[in-house]
Structure formats: structure tokens, C-alpha cells
Amino acid sequence: MQKTPMTGKGLLQLEDELRRLRSEERPAVIRAIAEARSHGDLSENAEYHAARERQSFIEGRIQELEELISTAEVIEPSSLSGSHVKFGATVCLVDEDTDKEITYQIVGLHEADIKQSKISISSPLAKSLIGKQEGDTVSVPAPGGDRTYEILSVKFI
């Protein structure tokens, strides 16, 4: 079974979601199904069908989270060092076209969140950054044409 790299924070988030699904969401949907069943004819009961769909989603997500957690390989960025970009690095870049500075942390696929400036190790930008160091320039294919970035700093926080 292939290991899934992620940060300790990413693993904690997945474990919290799994705990919430098992202890809150699953019992709530079971109650909703029982309530809908008590209303009689199930063939035309929209509440029942919606609750069953929700139950199916919850059970599928629980299975997915259990699999991810069991295959997680935790890599703590703070324990890493060096000047080259690798998993866990926080990289400050400047867009050479706009001079806009952006900072991203390279994380596992299942913890990526662009709103928190976390990009997946499998994203085109992360792939182009891996192995590079401060001062290097990278070109990244984008829908509007290639984007060019200069690496300003590489940190392991």
C-alpha cells in the first residue's frame, strides 16, 4: 500500500473530521432516517431519500478518511532543513510579470487549501518548484499561458 505524505497538522485535521463524522454526523443522520420512516410511505418521502443520500455520503467519507489515515506518512516541515524546495517547504515567490509576491507551503494532496496558501505536492507549481532553491526562476504552465516566478526564500517552519 502506497504511503500518503502529509504534515502532522494535515493528519490531525483528517482525524478531527473522522471523529466528527463518527460521533456527530452519523448518529444525526440515523435519527433523521428513523424520523422520516415514521412518516409512512417511503417511496414518496423526500426527507427519507435525502437522509439516505446523506448517510451514503458520510459512510463513504468515513471509509476514505480511514484509508488516508492508515496510509499517512507524517513529515514534519520543522524537522527538515536545507536550501532546496521539498515537501513541507514554505516558499516565497515573486511573479515576474506582475511583481506580486506570494507565499505557499507545499503539502500533501489531501491537505491542500489555496485559501490557506497550501498547495499540493502534485500541483504544477509545486512540481516545478521541487529541487529548486532561492534565486532560481521557474516557469509554470497555466491556462492563460506560462507564468514565471522567482524564488525569494525557502523555509521549513
Side-chain angles (χ1 to χ4, degrees), residues 59-69 110:
E59 294 304 324
R61 184 64 179 155
I62 287 173
Q63 264 188 319
E64 181 182 12
L65 289 170
E66 288 172 341
E67 174 74 16
L68 288 171
I69 290 168
H110 302 284

Side-chain angles (χ1 to χ4, degrees), residues 2-3 15 20 44-45 66 96 98 106 110 119 148 156:
Q2 188 175 1
K3 292 289 187 180
E15 289 171 339
R20 184 182 50 77
E44 295 182 19
N45 188 329
E66 288 172 341
E96 292 193 339
T98 64
I106 300 174
H110 302 284
I119 60 171
T148 306
F156 296 95

Side-chain angles (χ1 to χ4, degrees), residues 92-95 98-104 149-150 152-153:
C92 183
L93 308 167
V94 63
D95 185 319
T98 64
D99 286 333
K100 181 180 175 189
E101 285 188 24
I102 47 176
T103 301
Y104 293 115
Y149 300 95
E150 180 184 346
L152 298 178
S153 68

Side-chain angles (χ1 to χ4, degrees), residues 65-78:
L65 289 170
E66 288 172 341
E67 174 74 16
L68 288 171
I69 290 168
S70 72
T71 61
E73 178 183 0
V74 176
I75 300 170
E76 282 303 332
S78 60

Side-chain angles (χ1 to χ4, degrees), residues 52-63:
R52 292 289 300 191
E53 270 187 43
R54 180 75 182 140
Q55 181 184 37
S56 177
F57 171 80
I58 289 169
E59 294 304 324
R61 184 64 179 155
I62 287 173
Q63 264 188 319

Side-chain angles (χ1 to χ4, degrees), residues 26-39 42 45 47-56:
R26 182 187 268 166
V29 79
I30 290 170
R31 285 191 300 275
I33 290 171
E35 173 72 23
R37 275 194 176 139
S38 71
H39 295 157
L42 297 180
N45 188 329
E47 286 178 26
Y48 174 77
H49 293 290
R52 292 289 300 191
E53 270 187 43
R54 180 75 182 140
Q55 181 184 37
S56 177

Side-chain angles (χ1 to χ4, degrees), residues 73-133:
E73 178 183 0
V74 176
I75 300 170
E76 282 303 332
S78 60
S79 69
L80 302 173
S81 64
S83 59
H84 289 81
V85 178
K86 55 189 157 201
F87 181 90
T90 299
V91 185
C92 183
L93 308 167
V94 63
D95 185 319
E96 292 193 339
D97 294 333
T98 64
D99 286 333
K100 181 180 175 189
E101 285 188 24
I102 47 176
T103 301
Y104 293 115
Q105 182 182 18
I106 300 174
V107 297
L109 176 66
H110 302 284
E111 58 187 313
D113 183 349
I114 199 68
K115 291 177 185 169
Q116 294 181 8
S117 298
K118 294 180 178 185
I119 60 171
S120 167
I121 185 113
S122 61
S123 70
L125 178 56
K127 284 180 178 180
S128 66
L129 290 170
I130 298 295
K132 303 292 190 285
Q133 59 187 355

